[in-house]
Amino acid sequence: MRAIVIGGFLGSGKTSTIIRLGKEFSAQGNKVAVIVNEIGEIGIDGDVISKYGLDTTELTSGCICCSLKVNMKTTISLLMKEFQPDVLLIEPTGIAFPQVIKNEINLMDLKGTIVAPLVTLIDGSRFKQLMKEVKHFSMRQIIDAEILGINKIDLMEPRQIPIIEASVQQLNPKAKVVQLSTKIEDYRWYNFIKLILEEDTIKKNTALRTASPELSVMEGTQAVDESMDSIEASGISSYATEFIVEGEILPDVARTVVQDIMYMIKSKVIECSPEFVGHIKMFFENGNETVKMNITAHYEEPVMEIISSKTEEPKFKILSAVSNIDKEVLINIVDTSIIKAFASKGINVHKKRNLHHHLISKL
Ligand SMILES: Nc1nc2c(ncn2[C@@H]2O[C@H](COP(=O)(O)OP(=O)(O)OP(=O)(O)O)[C@@H](O)[C@H]2O)c(=O)[nH]1
Ligand SMILES: [Mg+2]
């Protein structure tokens, strides 16, 4: 089995990359499994990935009673026993230090398993904003990587690309820096795959890293302490929830409600955190289609995507992770916006209770 960890900050394109890699590896005849770790007790990416026909297991973090590491180890062992994948794609949360996950897999010492070089994706189109809002956290993710993918180059001004490439390379001279776009299929994409599969060509970047020496020279009070929890170090507040929606919902109503919720949340979040980065993503299944909408920075226009899907009951999920905002404030903004938007269409909703479950039991 080949285990591939695709890390990167919130909204950098991890799920999009995993879907594309998964489809490609499957098309070549490999058995592909995906483990997605999401913040909070609600997962969206696992649902999205499943809609593309890949097998997924979600792990939820932010939960006091499960230790992510134990959970992941058990999941990997079970997957290997019961599914025997050829390729295992792993998406840590956007506020994890992916090196920790890779180290855990290495320590499991799995027979016949190749652990691919650690990939960190960077959203090139948000690089400046990330360096402003979550600088030290992003730097730590960059420093730990073995392959650095500057993603979303389709959104970047061409003359900016080499400038950012050079800045990123300077932060981590040992890593291979590549340009990427999950929306473009060209030689760069195939070069990226080649690098992932060429595990020996990359000099082991201190496989079991205990300290990032580069960090010790960083100045400033926010420098990331190695012993610090990654969630704490990120300065990100997050909140995820699910609502049960009553009655039959027409597709155009679903789209409007999602849009209304997104714009309400965006405007209120900006009032509290004017230059926020993060990821606010919604997922509304309503019979014949799924409406997905998301935003990753204060200046962006939210993006709506429609995925055709047959479902029995309407289901609304949201995951919000935002920089420089108080968690209680974020929870209040999200809940009130959802209730208000549905009420304005005369639709009854109620929060799903007992969200917590050990997803391992799904296997
Ligand atoms: N234009 C463009 N958009 C992209 C690209 N890659 C991802 N996106 C978009 O960026 C947004 C976030 O992508 P995801 O794949 O969900 O990012 P993620 O890293 O998995 O996000 P989290 O799991 O929330 O941390 C989505 O709207 C994607 O469609 C890209 O190369 N170009
Ligand atoms: Mg994701």
Side-chain angles (χ1 to χ4, degrees):
M1 182 179 82
R2 195 178 290 270
I4 306 168
V5 180
I6 307 282
F9 189 65
L10 298 158
S12 55
K14 300 180 291 296
T15 304
S16 312
T17 302
I18 281 180
I19 290 171
R20 205 164 151 186
L21 286 174
K23 281 201 227 164
E24 235 162 279
F25 289 130
S26 293
Q28 290 161 11
N30 295 293
K31 261 165 96 177
V32 180
V34 183
I35 295 180
V36 196
N37 186 208
E38 289 255 60
I39 313 161
E41 296 171 20
I42 296 290
I44 287 184
D45 290 348
D47 282 356
V48 174
I49 295 169
S50 310
K51 291 199 188 297
Y52 288 92
L54 298 168
D55 267 294
T56 56
T57 301
E58 273 185 87
L59 301 176
T60 50
S61 68
C63 149
I64 319 149
C65 65
C66 322
S67 145
L68 166 63
K69 285 176 196 166
V70 172
N71 209 349
M72 186 185 69
K73 278 188 195 169
T74 324
T75 308
I76 293 178
S77 305
L78 263 172
L79 269 175
M80 288 185 79
K81 201 166 137 225
E82 293 177 11
F83 186 65
Q84 292 147 358
D86 302 308
V87 179
L88 174 61
L89 296 161
I90 300 172
E91 175 179 346
T93 76
I95 51 174
F97 295 137
Q99 178 74 44
V100 175
I101 313 267
K102 184 177 168 183
N103 286 349
E104 282 305 311
I105 302 171
N106 273 330
L107 286 171
M108 283 178 80
D109 203 15
L110 300 161
K111 296 246 163 351
T113 296
I114 300 166
V115 184
L118 181 62
V119 176
T120 292
L121 297 179
I122 302 156
D123 178 346
S125 70
R126 278 189 303 164
F127 189 68
K128 272 196 192 139
Q129 287 74 27
L130 294 170
M131 284 296 137
K132 210 170 159 193
E133 282 282 292
V134 284
K135 185 176 177 189
H136 295 294
F137 184 80
S138 297
M139 280 173 74
R140 162 76 193 270
Q141 286 190 330
I142 291 172
I143 288 165
D144 279 352
E146 290 160 294
I147 298 174
L148 282 161
I150 300 177
N151 192 30
K152 308 197 190 179
I153 54 162
D154 56 300
L155 296 178
M156 296 169 73
E157 257 187 71
R159 63 184 180 84
Q160 283 294 326
I161 301 174
I163 298 172
I164 290 177
E165 204 173 2
S167 312
V168 164
Q169 185 75 78
Q170 207 176 9
L171 287 171
N172 183 347
K174 285 189 215 138
K176 300 258 178 186
V177 181
V178 294
Q179 300 176 14
L180 274 182
S181 167
T182 60
K183 313 278 176 191
I184 305 172
E185 193 167 327
D186 66 3
Y187 68 94
R188 286 172 284 213
W189 174 255
Y190 294 103
N191 180 34
F192 172 58
I193 297 190
K194 211 169 130 224
L195 277 182
I196 294 177
L197 300 179
E198 275 174 9
E199 76 282 351
D200 293 334
T201 61
I202 296 180
K203 234 174 126 227
K204 283 271 170 289
N205 194 359
T206 48
L208 293 177
R209 184 187 290 268
T210 49
S212 299
E214 294 85 343
L215 279 173
S216 58
V217 297
M218 272 179 6
E219 288 176 5
T221 49
Q222 299 173 39
V224 171
D225 174 351
E226 285 281 328
S227 62
M228 213 175 178
D229 175 68
S230 70
I231 299 174
E232 199 185 324
S234 69
I236 297 283
S237 290
S238 66
Y239 173 55
T241 191
E242 180 171 345
F243 278 78
I244 312 264
V245 182
E246 288 178 12
E248 207 173 307
I249 313 295
L250 295 171
D252 56 335
V253 175
R255 293 183 195 191
T256 313
V257 170
V258 167
Q259 200 165 317
D260 291 350
I261 295 170
M262 179 56 93
Y263 281 98
M264 266 189 245
I265 294 177
K266 182 187 171 186
S267 68
K268 288 186 206 158
V269 164
I270 284 179
E271 280 174 25
C272 309
S273 179
E275 300 197 55
F276 84 84
V277 288
H279 203 179
I280 302 170
K281 50 187 179 184
M282 273 176 257
F283 183 91
F284 189 11
E285 282 184 334
N286 61 90
N288 288 317
E289 64 177 33
T290 297
V291 186
K292 205 180 145 245
M293 197 162 197
N294 72 313
I295 185 169
T296 65
H298 64 97
Y299 57 87
E300 274 178 8
E301 272 308 305
V303 182
M304 185 182 276
E305 206 183 313
I306 308 292
I307 311 170
S308 68
S309 63
K310 282 253 176 273
T311 41
E312 302 272 301
E313 288 190 350
K315 186 164 80 178
F316 178 88
K317 287 185 187 181
I318 183 162
L319 203 153
S320 57
V322 176
S323 62
N324 292 315
I325 196 166
D326 185 76
K327 183 163 178 159
E328 294 306 314
V329 174
L330 181 65
I331 293 174
N332 189 265
I333 291 175
V334 169
D335 281 348
T336 52
S337 303
I338 293 169
I339 291 163
K340 200 169 161 192
F342 277 108
S344 75
K345 300 278 176 230
I347 302 167
N348 283 334
V349 292
H350 50 94
K351 223 185 226 189
K352 195 167 171 190
R353 300 281 164 209
N354 301 323
L355 292 172
H356 182 251
H357 51 286
H358 287 266
L359 285 137
I360 196 73
S361 61
K362 269 187 174 173
L363 279 174

